[in-house]
Amino acid sequence: MSVDGARHASSHHPAWTRCAHWVAAVSILVLAFTGFVILMAHPRLYWGDVGNGLTPALIELPISPNYRHGGWASVTPFFDRTGSPVSASRTFPLFNENAWGRSLHFLTAWLLTLTGLAYLAAGVLTGHLRRRIVPAAGDLAPARLSEDVRRHVRFAVRRDAGSPYGTLQKIAYTFVIVFLLPLAGLTGVTMSPAVTTAFPFLLTLFGGMQSARTIHFGVWMALMGFLLVHVVMVVATGFRQHMRAMTIGDR
Amino acid sequence: MMTRRAILTRRDMIVTALAGAGGVLLSGCSRGELPPTYGHLLRMGDNLTYAAHRALLPHGLAREYGREHISSFPAIGTTNPADPSQPLAATLGQRYAGLRAGAFRDYRVSIEGRVARPGTYSLADLQRFPSRTQITRHTCEEGWSAIAEWTGVALGRVLAAAGTLPDARFVQFHAFDGLGDGIDMIDALHPQTLLAYGMNGQPLPIPHGGPLRLRVETQIGYKSVKYIDRIVVTDTFEDHGPAGYLHYGWSWYAGI
């Protein structure tokens, strides 16, 4: 094997991918935390365009003092008919840390968006995404795929010879980079009145502002699941070595 | 060697492209269009959002719905400015209670500041303007949403009647519950930005801001100032001090 081939076989990460990785890691953690704080203000999820404390919820999450509050003063119908939508005033103090929560969420979203776009541009131009991240046809061959699954089930993960990432690893990274993170961004801006005024098709695409919010929450759970598995795999396959490779580089 | 050089060239291209993009964003921020009192660390993101929205978003109309989509609608924040337990209600609340007792016949909203013809308008005066009725979604920063039918006069028509001066940049709203907030002229002149006096076919209910509230369909709900008392057109940014949301860390631009 040539010197060049050996370098590719190692887990060497170019400086720009190391930078992008850690900016993304910190951003995703801050977004996850501030997103949770924002969700605590109204821990109910809905489908469609509308959902509020006076309408049924799809899911009510037991995550804040606002969970199952139930406190509404005199309910007034808007129309003189049965089943009319109603108005009511809230009678309980709301837990709401959205002032700094929202601003920090959006500041961090800008950081992740700009980093992500730079990463994608560099990844396409340098061939990094094609060579190392996106699964190749060979990776997806049933034999290779089933072998990688079996290795994971047996907790016997090794690196594939000649390729820094295994098939499942490539699938997971690609899924996060080209599907989950863009979906998080798109469902996020679908909650913005200014953005959907400019691009109403976003509301059609996700089935409404509240559906987008619910999908945004689903993406959050998927990303947290990925993070958990990612960290477990890093620890299981050599924490010190991976951390050195991903921070100062391994050569 | 050649490969390495080619990679460097590509890298240079990327760096140049990114620097160019950054330059465009920065020049967007330095046109003097941002509110001058608007700046600490968290405000960086809000400033960037404001500049990006104003530079990049095409103009359009917020989605409008059918009557069958009208939903239940919580009334939050101030629900009665005359309530003596309201912290900011001392004098304004008394005045509001008097107007309410007279079914708002003596209510006048004043338009002042950078306008050629300052003046006051009764509800009847506002209703003589061509009215607009729209069924739109209210999006609360807390995360919930509701759909209602709003009837009112486009703020732009009232501003045109008052004759905004060429240096007008912001429209400030002072409310009977002691709160205040402002919007820029782009939001103020949006055709769906209303001074609303009707909700779901009825006079605007007190808990929802009666007799007159703002509807800004391109913004989060808290920008839709309820119980409007005075409208002041300004050439400079105003943060409304403790009467405004900025004081408590909320974004001035809440389009997202």
Side-chain angles (χ1 to χ4, degrees):
Chain A
M1 193 179 269
S2 71
V3 175
D4 208 43
R7 193 206 297 165
H8 279 294
S10 82
S11 60
H12 173 68
H13 305 290
W16 65 270
T17 62
R18 283 181 272 140
C19 272
H21 174 269
W22 287 115
V23 172
V26 171
S27 303
I28 288 169
L29 286 175
V30 173
L31 283 163
F33 175 66
T34 51
F36 191 83
V37 169
I38 294 166
L39 188 63
M40 282 173 82
H42 192 77
R44 290 160 62 93
L45 297 168
Y46 313 88
W47 204 256
D49 253 321
V50 168
N52 58 62
L54 300 173
T55 68
L58 194 65
I59 309 166
E60 180 149 16
L61 300 160
I63 58 166
S64 88
N66 303 334
Y67 172 58
R68 290 200 182 151
H69 48 72
W72 295 95
S74 59
V75 170
T76 316
F78 281 118
F79 304 110
D80 190 14
R81 58 172 164 83
T82 51
S84 161
V86 299
S87 175
S89 307
R90 196 184 274 155
T91 57
F92 57 96
L94 194 78
F95 170 89
N96 188 338
E97 292 292 322
N98 279 4
W100 66 267
R102 287 170 59 87
S103 287
L104 184 54
H105 198 71
F106 304 146
L107 177 66
T108 315
W110 271 113
L111 182 65
L112 183 59
T113 303
L114 297 178
T115 305
L117 290 176
Y119 172 86
L120 284 177
V124 169
L125 288 176
T126 62
H128 174 84
L129 285 175
R130 182 175 43 78
R131 279 187 285 106
R132 300 188 57 164
I133 305 290
V134 178
D139 290 312
L140 293 172
R144 178 87 76 88
L145 193 58
S146 66
E147 190 204 341
D148 204 31
V149 169
R150 257 182 280 120
R151 266 191 214 153
H152 278 80
V153 170
R154 290 201 309 267
F155 292 105
V157 177
R158 289 181 289 110
R159 290 203 191 89
D160 278 329
S163 168
Y165 296 142
T167 298
L168 289 183
Q169 207 175 358
K170 282 184 170 184
I171 291 172
Y173 293 171
T174 303
F175 184 68
V176 168
I177 291 166
V178 306
F179 183 71
L180 277 186
L181 290 175
L183 185 60
L186 283 176
T187 51
V189 296
T190 303
M191 288 183 257
S192 153
V195 172
T196 54
T197 295
F199 305 113
F201 75 89
L202 286 168
L203 289 170
T204 310
L205 181 65
F206 295 115
M209 175 259 167
Q210 291 293 347
S211 314
R213 181 168 172 265
T214 300
I215 297 168
H216 198 68
F217 173 76
V219 171
W220 176 78
M221 292 216 298
L223 280 173
M224 292 302 97
F226 166 78
L227 183 66
L228 183 72
V229 174
H230 187 57
V231 171
V232 165
M233 293 306 291
V234 165
V235 171
T237 59
F239 181 74
R240 285 167 61 94
Q241 179 207 338
H242 286 308
M243 287 302 275
R244 197 173 61 241
M246 196 42 101
T247 47
I248 55 175
D250 59 352
R251 288 176 316 114
Chain B
M1 227 25 221
M2 281 311 289
T3 323
R4 191 154 185 84
R5 202 167 279 162
I7 288 169
L8 279 173
T9 309
R10 256 191 232 141
R11 234 174 244 170
D12 286 348
M13 276 168 55
I14 296 161
V15 168
T16 311
L18 288 177
V24 168
L25 284 171
L26 281 176
S27 65
C29 296
S30 61
R31 251 182 275 145
E33 291 300 321
L34 287 176
T37 61
Y38 197 57
H40 65 69
L41 184 69
L42 290 182
R43 296 289 87 94
M44 278 171 52
D46 296 329
N47 280 347
L48 187 53
T49 301
Y50 177 62
H53 280 193
R54 289 297 176 249
L56 302 176
L57 292 187
H59 296 287
L61 292 177
R63 175 167 288 187
E64 298 195 15
Y65 299 83
R67 297 212 78 180
E68 70 278 13
H69 294 117
I70 292 174
S71 75
S72 292
F73 203 127
I76 64 157
T78 314
T79 49
N80 177 14
D83 180 350
S85 70
Q86 284 288 324
L88 299 161
T91 50
L92 283 169
Q94 288 295 310
R95 194 151 69 80
Y96 183 84
L99 293 169
R100 185 182 173 180
F104 298 114
R105 276 185 300 274
D106 297 327
Y107 170 79
R108 300 280 186 282
V109 61
S110 72
I111 314 248
E112 355 170 338
R114 305 303 300 155
V115 292
R117 295 172 291 280
T120 63
Y121 297 81
S122 68
L123 285 177
D125 294 333
L126 293 178
Q127 281 158 1
R128 272 192 286 276
F129 283 98
S131 76
R132 180 181 166 90
T133 294
Q134 61 198 28
I135 301 173
T136 47
R137 189 185 69 250
H138 177 96
T139 308
C140 183
E141 52 68 30
E142 290 166 10
W144 55 266
S145 57
I147 290 175
E149 181 190 84
W150 304 99
T151 302
V153 49
L155 175 62
R157 287 189 183 273
V158 181
L159 292 176
T164 46
L165 297 175
D167 61 0
R169 284 181 59 201
F170 300 97
V171 183
Q172 313 293 341
F173 300 86
H174 300 262
F176 279 106
D177 57 3
L179 296 174
D181 209 338
I183 55 176
D184 69 2
M185 292 307 284
I186 292 175
D187 278 336
L189 298 177
H190 190 279
Q192 287 169 316
T193 297
L194 300 189
L195 295 176
Y197 43 72
M199 181 186 189
N200 293 338
Q202 300 291 326
L204 187 61
I206 303 298
H208 290 283
L212 193 69
R213 76 174 293 171
L214 181 67
R215 287 299 314 166
V216 194
E217 307 301 355
T218 52
Q219 296 261 349
I220 291 290
Y222 70 80
K223 298 297 282 188
S224 291
V225 179
K226 305 202 279 189
Y227 316 107
I228 297 173
D229 177 22
R230 293 191 299 130
I231 299 172
V232 184
V233 179
T234 61
D235 56 351
T236 54
F237 180 74
E238 188 184 330
D239 69 2
H240 290 265
Y245 289 94
L246 234 68
H247 191 70
Y248 306 97
W250 294 86
S251 295
W252 172 76
Y253 182 74
I256 191 160

